[in-house]
C-alpha cells in the first residue's frame, strides 16, 4: 500500500459534546515519507483507496494539511470550527483538496467563505462546526461525492460501529467525518492525543445542526 489515508473502526459508546480540552489543529508539514505511509497513522487503522470515502477532503493552511472535512454539496465543505482557531479564518490562507487519499494530489479548490458557528468557543468547544464555501464548484463523480448527512435530530444508537477517517497526523484528523451506517453523523472535535486507551474522542453531533447547515449554505 502506498497510500497515506487510513481509517479506524471504533465502537460508538455515545456521542457527547461540551467538556473543555480543545486541541488546536496543528498544521503539520507533510514529508514524502509520510505520504508513502508504510504504517497506519490512525491508531489501529487500515489503509483505504481513492474513492472509498468520496466526500473526504483535506483542508490546507498555506498548503499544508491541517484538518479533514466532508463535501456536502458542490460548493460547501463541512468541518470543525476549531480548525481555524489557531491560524485565523482568513480564507485566502486556506485551500481544499478533493479526490485523493494522497495529500500531495487531488484537485485543489480556493476558499471563498468560512462560516464558523456563531456560538463556537475555544474554551467550551461547544458548537465546533464550520462550513467553507469553495471555488470553483467541485466536480462530482468517480472518486468524488457528497456525504450523506443524518436527518435533523436523528439519534445514533449507542453500541453501533462507527468509522472515523483521516490521515492520522495526531491533530490532523480534526474536522474529519465519523460515519455510522454510511451517514456522516459526527465531526472530529477533540480528544486526548494518540488515542489513549480509556479516554473518549469527542465528535460534534451533526444531526443537531441540520437547520444551521441549511441556513448557512442557502
Ligand atoms: C447561540 O446562543 C444563543 C444563546 O444561547 C442562542 O440564543 C442562539 O440561538 C445560538 N445561536 C445558534 C446559531 O445556535
Amino acid at each position: 500500500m502506498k497510500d497515506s489515508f487510513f481509517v479506524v473502526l471504533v465502537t460508538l459508546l455515545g456521542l457527547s459534546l461540551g467538556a473543555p480540552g480543545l486541541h488546536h489543529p496543528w498544521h503539520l508539514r507533510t514529508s514524502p515519507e509520510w505520504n508513502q505511509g508504510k504504517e497506519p497513522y490512525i491508531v489501529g487503522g487500515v489503509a483505504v483507496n481513492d474513492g472509498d470515502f468520496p466526500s473526504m477532503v483535506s483542508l490546507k493552511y498555506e498548503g499544508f494539511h491541517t484538518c479533514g472535512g466532508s463535501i456536502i454539496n458542490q460548493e460547501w465543505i463541512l468541518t470543525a470550527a476549531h480548525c481555524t482557531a489557531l491560524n485565523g479564518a482568513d480564507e485566502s490562507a486556506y485551500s481544499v483538496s478533493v479526490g485523493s487519499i494522497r495529500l500531495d494530489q487531488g484537485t485543489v479548490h480556493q476558499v471563498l467563505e468560512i462560516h464558523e458557528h456563531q456560538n463556537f468557543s475555544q474554551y467550551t468547544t461547544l458548537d465546533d462546526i464550520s462550513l467553507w464555501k469553495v471555488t470553483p464548484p467541485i466536480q462530482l463523480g468517480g472518486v468524488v461525492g457528497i456525504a450523506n448527512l443524518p436527518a435533523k435530530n436523528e439519534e445514533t444508537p449507542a453500541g453501533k460501529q462507527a468509522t472515523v477517517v483521516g490521515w492520522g497526523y495526531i491533530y490532523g484528523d480534526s474536522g474529519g467525518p465519523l460515519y455510522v451506517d454510511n451517514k456522516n453523523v459526527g465531526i472530529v472535535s477533540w480528544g486526548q492525543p494518540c488515542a489513549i486507551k480509556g479516554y473518549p474522542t469527542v465528535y460534534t453531533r451533526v444531526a443537531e445542526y441540520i437547520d444551521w447547515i441549511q441556513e448557512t449554505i442557502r
Side-chain angles (χ1 to χ4, degrees):
M1 295 276 179
K2 58 175 170 38
D3 354 282
S4 58
F5 190 71
F6 298 94
V7 57
V8 66
L9 301 176
V10 297
T11 300
L12 194 64
L13 301 171
L15 301 172
S16 63
L17 254 186
L22 177 67
H23 292 289
H24 289 297
W26 249 220
H27 79 276
L28 293 174
R29 299 192 180 230
T30 60
S31 68
E33 312 86 82
W34 289 18
N35 286 338
Q36 294 303 317
K38 295 194 175 58
E39 301 280 336
Y41 290 115
I42 281 188
V43 177
V46 297
V48 300
N49 296 308
D50 280 340
D52 286 352
F53 295 93
S55 56
M56 181 74 192
V57 301
S58 164
L59 308 187
K60 293 174 170 34
Y61 175 71
E62 293 181 347
F64 295 100
H65 176 73
T66 187
C67 268
S70 293
I71 301 168
I72 62 163
N73 72 26
Q74 284 188 279
E75 292 186 297
W76 290 94
I77 304 298
L78 182 68
T79 187
H82 80 261
C83 289
T84 39
L86 184 63
N87 295 312
D90 170 10
E91 288 85 353
S92 66
Y94 293 91
S95 58
V96 173
S97 82
V98 313
S100 182
I101 59 168
R102 291 184 55 120
L103 291 172
D104 58 352
Q105 294 179 8
T107 307
V108 178
H109 295 257
Q110 285 176 271
V111 179
L112 282 180
E113 296 173 20
I114 293 176
H115 298 258
E116 295 171 0
H117 191 283
Q118 296 88 321
N119 290 347
F120 168 68
S121 151
Q122 289 188 59
Y123 305 103
T124 63
T125 74
L126 288 170
D127 302 314
D128 191 5
I129 188 168
S130 185
L131 284 160
W132 294 19
K133 187 175 191 183
V134 297
T135 190
I138 296 165
Q139 296 283 332
L140 302 175
V143 295
V144 179
I146 290 174
N148 295 319
L149 300 185
K152 180 179 174 180
N153 299 328
E154 183 176 335
E155 299 218 350
T156 301
K160 280 269 191 180
Q161 181 169 274
T163 303
V164 63
V165 187
W167 282 267
Y169 294 164
I170 304 181
Y171 298 103
D173 294 319
S174 285
L178 177 79
Y179 298 102
V180 173
D181 295 337
N182 198 33
K183 287 180 193 164
N184 190 165
V185 298
I187 299 169
V188 178
S189 181
W190 62 274
Q192 298 294 326
C194 303
I196 297 170
K197 206 173 170 184
Y199 288 88
T201 300
V202 178
Y203 301 86
T204 305
R205 196 195 309 258
V206 174
E208 302 291 319
Y209 296 94
I210 299 300
D211 285 347
W212 179 82
I213 291 169
Q214 283 169 356
E215 282 162 25
T216 306
I217 71 177
R218 195 164 50 200

